[in-house]
Amino acid sequence: AITHDDSLLAVDDGLHTIQKLNADGELLLEVGDRNNPSLKWSGKPFNRPTSAAIMPRTGEIYITDGYGNAAVHIFSPTGLYKRSWGSSGIDAGQFIRPHNVIIDDQARVYIVDRECHRIQVFDSQGTFITMWNNIHRPDSMVLWGDHMFIGELNGIIGVDDAPGLGHRVSIYDLGGDL
């Protein structure tokens, strides 16, 4: 992800790290313990993280940890762990494969919850605000002005060729309306 300050956040689910680089490719920060994942489903950083974003107001780094965890972690601008939220499940604030994170200019945190077919929206502290349901396996999001562009996947065994499922980009307003 390219951040508000033109840094690059590179999430490596194989190394279990997030790197922040400047526009020249110089390493500014690395978060995570290379090649030393947390225990699977422990909720502790990191077991195959999936995405990262920076809160422009604070510089805090929000990281989805979705392949071997079901959590969102927050780190300080200098890489110190602050807090986490989320667990495995289908209720509000729970995730099955949190896969992408976007932060808007109102400090709302949008999390792709891919295998639950939804986007969950939180405040900056991780308090649940709302969810947008019935989005077929959302994989990634891009916030552009007042619209969220959401890439949807297909790929569920047995319905790969079902019409109207996945392989599309859906455009939502920030109220969650298609």
Side-chain angles (χ1 to χ4, degrees):
I2 298 173
T3 67
H4 69 286
D5 64 359
D6 292 328
S7 298
L8 175 68
L9 291 176
V11 178
D12 190 323
D13 73 311
L15 291 178
H16 311 283
T17 62
I18 294 80
Q19 295 181 336
K20 182 178 179 182
L21 304 110
N22 66 18
D24 294 324
E26 293 178 73
L27 181 64
L28 303 174
L29 176 69
E30 183 170 287
V31 179
D33 189 4
R34 277 181 179 240
N35 295 312
N36 191 21
S38 64
L39 292 176
K40 197 168 190 179
W41 310 120
S42 68
K44 297 179 181 175
F46 298 107
N47 191 305
R48 300 194 60 208
T50 50
S51 183
I54 293 178
M55 177 73 67
R57 294 180 187 171
T58 64
E60 291 173 319
I61 306 165
Y62 287 68
I63 301 163
T64 52
D65 199 5
Y67 282 123
N69 247 328
V72 177
H73 310 291
I74 304 172
F75 286 77
S76 75
T78 59
L80 297 175
Y81 173 78
K82 295 185 81 173
R83 64 189 172 283
S84 299
W85 82 82
S87 61
S88 184
I90 61 170
D91 293 331
Q94 294 181 315
F95 307 101
I96 301 177
R97 192 135 316 124
H99 203 266
N100 191 216
V101 55
I102 297 286
I103 302 169
D104 73 12
D105 61 2
Q106 301 300 309
R108 290 177 297 227
V109 181
Y110 300 78
I111 306 291
V112 162
D113 191 6
R114 187 169 82 191
E115 304 310 331
C116 284
H117 303 274
R118 66 188 179 186
I119 306 296
Q120 293 194 61
V121 185
F122 301 88
D123 70 13
S124 63
Q125 300 302 305
T127 302
F128 175 80
I129 297 172
T130 191
M131 70 177 75
W132 308 347
N133 290 301
N134 302 315
I135 304 169
H136 190 73
R137 297 189 74 218
D139 192 57
S140 61
M141 303 175 286
V142 173
L143 177 61
W144 191 270
D146 291 332
H147 294 90
M148 190 73 72
F149 293 74
I150 301 171
E152 298 179 59
L153 296 176
N154 201 342
I156 292 179
I157 295 172
V159 295
D160 285 344
D161 60 350
L165 292 180
H167 295 310
R168 65 181 176 204
V169 174
S170 296
I171 304 169
Y172 286 77
D173 65 23
L174 296 185
D177 294 316
L178 180 64

